[in-house]
Amino acid sequence: MTTATPATPEPAHGARTGVGVDVGGTGIKAGLVDLERGELIGDRLVRDTPQPATPDAIAETIREMVDELGADGPVGVALPSVIHEGVARIAHNIDTSWIGCAVVDLFERHLPGRRVVMLNDADAAGLTEVQFGAAAGLDGLVILLTFGTGIGSALLFDGRLIPNTEFGHLMVEDIAGRGFDETEHLASASVRARDELSFAEWAPHVSNVLRNIEDLLWPRAFVLGGGVSEAADEWFPLLENRTPVLAAVRLNDAGIIGAATYAAADAGLLDLGEVLSRHRG
């Protein structure tokens, strides 16, 4: 996670509304966020992710969407990448030209005069869930996993976000006996759709992923997000891991809300207490 374009914070009353953007492989979502309730204000904007999904193409699309929202103040952007020391280090479901991109310079060019922060998309969802959703008030280690095109992860300890985990790329043994592969190649929602698996057929693969993670870290709870969590009642009872599993509350808006919340906190407009670590990536 990192910050671009330092600017003077808005007055305190501006903390009630934030601007969040969630970048995905196929679509970019943006919206205004009620920072006190952790909810979207009005309808979100949705645009197709430009192809190729280069830094300049995505940043320009974000500029257009932020202009359309018409709100002042800092902008938070959730991106499917690790942002470390001001540089995008990986690129999943976006163009590989993101790798090595200096995001501070990128947004200084495309949104001059605006304070812009970026963070990993699953971290944004984790921030949302620990502040407003299923992980709120939980002590100990909580792991959020988002099931979509891949598997994103956020690590939360005593309510504090520990950024830039990548459990979607953890190597585990496939229950079908095909050897070892990354967890998101075995149990993501896109794998379920590709192979036309029922929940009963897919759940053992998810259980396998959860068991491998819990054997390493022994969390107090998992919070599972992504579109499939809307059907939690259908497949959560089929899971066979030992750790309690909770459904994410904010679902597909979590990235927008978390990005806006992080941007407001970074600008000093919102106090998140100990949720954010002092070193933010």
Side-chain angles (χ1 to χ4, degrees):
M1 294 181 280
T2 193
T3 303
T5 315
T8 302
E10 292 183 334
H13 63 79
R16 294 183 179 179
T17 303
V19 180
V21 182
D22 186 8
V23 178
T26 58
I28 299 176
K29 301 174 290 186
L32 300 179
V33 176
D34 181 329
L35 297 170
E36 296 177 359
R37 301 177 63 183
E39 298 176 349
L40 258 60
I41 301 171
D43 295 331
R44 63 186 180 185
L45 301 180
V46 181
R47 300 286 184 272
D48 290 338
T49 302
Q51 301 299 328
T54 62
D56 283 312
I58 286 180
E60 182 59 21
T61 301
I62 291 173
R63 182 197 65 77
E64 294 171 357
M65 298 175 78
V66 169
D67 286 348
E68 187 172 344
L69 288 171
D72 296 326
V75 178
V77 179
L79 187 76
S81 178
V82 167
I83 309 298
H84 187 249
E85 297 181 343
V87 177
R89 302 295 184 179
I90 60 176
H92 295 296
N93 306 311
I94 51 177
D95 195 79
T96 55
S97 59
W98 275 95
I99 300 174
C101 173
V103 296
V104 173
D105 295 340
L106 175 69
F107 283 100
E108 283 181 344
R109 293 198 310 271
H110 288 272
L111 281 85
R114 294 293 289 261
R115 189 183 188 106
V116 180
V117 300
M118 298 190 71
L119 72 166
N120 174 266
D121 52 357
D123 283 343
L127 180 57
T128 298
E129 290 299 323
V130 77
Q131 192 70 9
F132 305 109
L138 296 183
D139 295 328
L141 179 62
V142 177
I143 298 175
L144 176 135
L145 299 174
T146 59
F147 289 83
T149 304
I151 296 178
S153 61
L155 201 63
L156 306 159
F157 185 74
D158 284 343
R160 173 174 287 188
L161 173 67
I162 302 172
N164 292 327
T165 59
E166 288 290 328
F167 294 151
H169 307 295
L170 182 69
M171 298 294 289
V172 303
E173 187 173 9
D174 182 16
I175 62 172
R178 294 173 294 195
F180 287 80
D181 205 343
E182 295 183 4
T183 59
E184 67 178 29
H185 295 163
L186 301 175
S188 64
S190 62
V191 168
R192 175 177 176 262
R194 181 197 67 197
D195 295 343
E196 299 181 342
L197 301 177
S198 67
F199 282 128
E201 294 169 324
W202 180 60
H205 296 281
V206 177
S207 296
N208 181 46
V209 168
L210 299 183
R211 285 195 297 267
N212 274 272
I213 294 174
E214 64 190 1
D215 283 347
L216 290 173
L217 295 172
W218 289 79
R220 296 281 185 88
F222 285 108
V223 176
L224 305 188
V228 290
S229 61
E230 295 184 32
D233 290 346
E234 296 184 49
W235 63 279
F236 276 26
L238 304 175
L239 296 174
E240 297 179 339
N241 61 293
R242 63 175 175 266
T243 305
V245 176
L246 307 172
V249 173
R250 293 299 192 261
L251 302 173
N252 289 326
D253 292 334
I256 297 173
I257 296 167
T261 301
Y262 177 72
D266 182 82
L269 302 175
L270 186 68
D271 183 9
L272 296 184
E274 294 298 312
V275 172
L276 297 176
S277 59
R278 293 178 183 177
H279 179 67
R280 300 180 184 177

